[in-house]
């Protein structure tokens, strides 16, 4: 509790000065209470912010996504979905699942909620099905327990609920039956990133 300051009034009691002092003390306490309430509400608001909302608030900014110590993608944040984001990096686009990122660099402070229920429900599988439909040639980065990673090149053939099949080709080769060296089935949980030409 704030100690009450009592002034002595020379020449007897001056009621106006006494009431002015009391009013100033109450105003000071009210201001402190208001500042405390604003700070508490701000902390509560920040505690309710999702990472996806922070990412949406950073659209158009140059962002770094650090997946491991050696695997870092940087680019302009162009899309944020329900489970993944897309960075534009020169002629390439990189799709990165949220769960693959260890840390971000360059996010703004603004948070923007997704207004569309449909977009909110579109997950990683939806993005992968679009890439399969377009027959996009991809560089697929995989992550392993212990922090290692590997990369494959190819075209997504099929997408399941929690995995996809990649027709593996040599980098730059089209997806023809004669050029497919093998098919790799990749669980979503092991996907680090997909890099493609725009």
């Amino acid at each position: 509790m704030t100690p009450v300051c009592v002034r002595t009034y020379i020449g007897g009691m001056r009621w106006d000065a006494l009431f002015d002092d009391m009013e100033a003390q109450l105003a000071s306490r009210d201001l402190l209470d208001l500042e405390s309430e604003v700070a508490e509400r701000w902390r509560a608001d920040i505690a309710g912010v999702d990472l996806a909302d922070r990412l949406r608030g950073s659209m158009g900014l140059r962002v770094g996504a650090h997946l491991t110590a050696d695997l870092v993608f940087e680019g302009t944040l162009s899309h944020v979905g329900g489970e993944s984001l897309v960075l534009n990096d020169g002629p390439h686009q990189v799709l990165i699942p949220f769960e693959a990122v260890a840390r971000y660099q360059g996010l703004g402070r603004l948070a923007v909620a997704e207004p569309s229920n449909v977009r909110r429900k579109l997950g990683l599988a939806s993005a992968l099905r679009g890439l399969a439909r377009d027959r996009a040639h991809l560089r697929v980065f995989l992550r392993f327990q212990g922090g290692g990673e590997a990369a494959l090149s190819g075209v997504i053939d099929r997408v399941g609920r929690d995995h996809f099949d990649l027709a593996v080709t040599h980098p730059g080769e089209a997806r023809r039956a004669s050029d497919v060296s093998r098919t790799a089935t990749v669980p979503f949980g092991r996907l680090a990133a997909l890099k493609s030409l725009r």
Side-chain angles (χ1 to χ4, degrees), residues 78-116:
S78 65
H79 175 78
V80 178
E83 298 174 339
S84 61
L85 61 95
V86 175
L87 296 176
N88 291 340
D89 181 21
H92 301 283
Q93 285 191 304
V94 183
L95 182 139
I96 305 169
F98 294 156
E99 69 176 38
V101 181
R103 70 180 173 95
Y104 293 96
Q105 184 174 319
L107 293 186
R109 292 168 107 23
L110 185 63
V112 176
E114 176 57 69
S116 167

Side-chain angles (χ1 to χ4, degrees), residues 24-141:
Q25 289 173 17
L26 286 173
S28 176
R29 275 190 220 139
D30 287 346
L31 182 61
L32 288 174
D33 289 345
L34 178 64
E35 288 174 352
S36 176
E37 184 179 340
V38 167
E40 185 59 34
R41 284 187 184 182
W42 181 78
R43 282 190 291 272
D45 286 347
I46 293 297
V49 172
D50 289 330
L51 178 58
D53 294 344
R54 283 280 307 279
L55 288 164
R56 273 185 216 93
S58 299
M59 295 274 284
L61 296 180
R62 185 151 182 87
V63 171
H66 296 253
L67 283 62
T68 65
D70 298 326
L71 189 57
V72 178
F73 294 101
E74 291 186 5
T76 303
L77 185 56
S78 65
H79 175 78
V80 178
E83 298 174 339
S84 61
L85 61 95
V86 175
L87 296 176
N88 291 340
D89 181 21
H92 301 283
Q93 285 191 304
V94 183
L95 182 139
I96 305 169
F98 294 156
E99 69 176 38
V101 181
R103 70 180 173 95
Y104 293 96
Q105 184 174 319
L107 293 186
R109 292 168 107 23
L110 185 63
V112 176
E114 176 57 69
S116 167
N117 285 332
V118 174
R119 277 196 197 146
R120 200 174 301 125
K121 292 177 183 175
L122 291 177
L124 182 60
S126 299
L128 295 176
R129 285 187 186 102
L131 290 168
R133 183 188 60 244
D134 294 345
R135 309 304 287 162
H137 195 272
L138 306 166
R139 185 85 171 141
V140 179
F141 296 87

